[in-house]
């Protein structure tokens, strides 16, 4: 049984049918990548899994448990957290306060302190700026804060939505190295990413989403060699 199973989900925004029977699996310990064009339904897929935009039909299964109708704050407690597109940090709160909010569902004070130390070790710049308001950080630092805040809940599965968006190339490389490091430390990751080349290079498996439907799936290295992927997402003629 996969750690996460998405089974034939249909998600709507009003009358707009955003996801049309999306199914995917994430095994424990994997990095799974979801690529596709703007409006394909990538963020909606993550929001459906995390309960922010519930599916109208289909199921989301976490380690054998149906969480399709579970409220988002309870899904966090069950082990799924999300670093959303656009980071969405609390600009007026300090770095430390943003991270503290990530651990709101945890009562184990000693363990929370250990997680905080792990986050600061992973992101030393956040430790240096822990008393600064989040809004004063650079774009790359805000992305680190968004990921760190999600990690504070000790997720079994981390959902990352466009972590490289708007970042300079050198910072993109750093973010992808951090994603691999988190995975090596035992965090399972479902990654939505516009940088298909980088995402498929580090993932175990990938899915291609077009207009709300999965049209292609396979190991990351195979998708990198796929002609359709190369033309549509890697800019090749």
């Amino acid at each position: 049984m996969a750690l996460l199973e998405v089974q034939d989900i249909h998600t709507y925004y009003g009358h707009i049918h955003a996801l049309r029977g999306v199914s995917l699996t994430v095994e424990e310990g994997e990095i799974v990548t979801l690529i596709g064009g703007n409006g394909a339904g990538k963020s909606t897929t993550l929001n459906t899994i995390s309960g922010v935009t519930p599916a109208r039909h289909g199921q989301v299964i976490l380690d054998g448990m149906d969480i399709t109708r579970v409220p988002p704050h309870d899904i966090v407690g069950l082990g799924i957290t999300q670093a959303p597109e656009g980071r969405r940090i609390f600009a007026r709160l300090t770095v430390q306060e943003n991270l503290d909010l990530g651990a709101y569902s945890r009562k184990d004070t000693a363990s929370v302190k250990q997680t905080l130390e792990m986050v600061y070790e992973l992101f030393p710049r956040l430790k240096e700026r822990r008393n600064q308001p989040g809004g004063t950080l650079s774009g790359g630092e805000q992305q680190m804060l968004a990921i760190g805040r999600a990690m504070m809940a000790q997720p079994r599965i981390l959902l990352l939505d466009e972590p490289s968006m708007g970042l300079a190339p050198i910072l993109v490389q750093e973010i992808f190295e951090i994603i691999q490091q988190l995975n090596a430390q035992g965090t399972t990751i479902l990654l939505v990413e516009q940088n298909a080349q980088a995402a498929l290079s580090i993932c175990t498996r990938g899915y291609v989403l077009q207009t709300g439907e999965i049209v292609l799936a396979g190991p990351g290295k195979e998708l990198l060699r796929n002609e359709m992927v190369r033309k549509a997402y890697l800019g090749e003629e």
Side-chain angles (χ1 to χ4, degrees), residues 89-99 116 119-121 123-145 171 174:
I89 62 165
F90 296 96
R92 295 185 180 181
L93 298 184
T94 66
V95 167
Q96 180 69 60
E97 289 167 337
N98 270 274
L99 294 174
L116 179 63
V119 169
Y120 279 149
E121 184 176 342
F123 303 111
R125 273 177 280 179
L126 295 185
K127 186 172 185 178
E128 293 169 8
R129 294 158 172 74
R130 59 186 179 274
N131 295 319
Q132 284 184 221
T136 66
L137 302 181
S138 69
E141 290 164 350
Q142 289 187 18
Q143 185 61 64
M144 294 173 190
L145 180 54
L171 287 175
E174 185 175 352

Side-chain angles (χ1 to χ4, degrees), residues 98-117:
N98 270 274
L99 294 174
D100 288 343
L101 282 173
Y104 80 93
S105 63
R106 297 173 61 187
K107 308 302 181 189
D108 48 337
T109 307
S111 180
V112 169
K113 185 177 180 181
Q114 288 180 343
T115 305
L116 179 63
E117 291 171 356

Side-chain angles (χ1 to χ4, degrees), residues 19 34-47 161-162 192-194 209:
L19 298 181
L34 188 59
I35 65 170
N38 290 336
K42 305 186 301 298
S43 294
T44 302
T45 300
L46 295 192
N47 289 338
D161 196 350
E162 304 283 13
V192 160
E193 180 52 56
Q194 59 178 349
L209 192 63

Side-chain angles (χ1 to χ4, degrees), residues 40-103:
K42 305 186 301 298
S43 294
T44 302
T45 300
L46 295 192
N47 289 338
T48 298
I49 292 168
S50 62
V52 175
T53 311
R56 191 174 296 182
H57 304 288
Q59 289 182 302
V60 179
I61 309 293
L62 175 64
D63 202 13
M65 176 183 178
D66 186 347
I67 63 168
T68 314
R69 302 286 175 260
V70 174
H73 60 278
D74 289 332
I75 289 178
V76 171
L78 293 171
I80 298 179
T81 60
Q82 183 170 348
E85 181 181 0
R87 297 136 199 172
R88 298 188 188 177
I89 62 165
F90 296 96
R92 295 185 180 181
L93 298 184
T94 66
V95 167
Q96 180 69 60
E97 289 167 337
N98 270 274
L99 294 174
D100 288 343
L101 282 173

Side-chain angles (χ1 to χ4, degrees), residues 141-160:
E141 290 164 350
Q142 289 187 18
Q143 185 61 64
M144 294 173 190
L145 180 54
I147 295 172
R149 182 180 60 189
M151 289 303 298
M152 286 298 295
Q154 272 194 323
R156 300 182 68 188
I157 301 179
L158 176 62
L159 309 180
L160 295 177

Side-chain angles (χ1 to χ4, degrees), residues 35-37 196 200 207-210 213-217 222-237:
I35 65 170
L200 293 175
Y207 293 88
V208 180
L209 192 63
Q210 290 183 355
E213 299 180 80
I214 300 289
V215 296
L216 196 61
E222 286 187 14
L223 291 177
L224 276 172
R225 295 193 295 267
N226 181 276
E227 184 177 359
M228 185 271 281
V229 172
R230 297 185 74 84
K231 287 182 178 179
Y233 304 108
L234 304 182
E236 297 189 6
E237 298 298 330

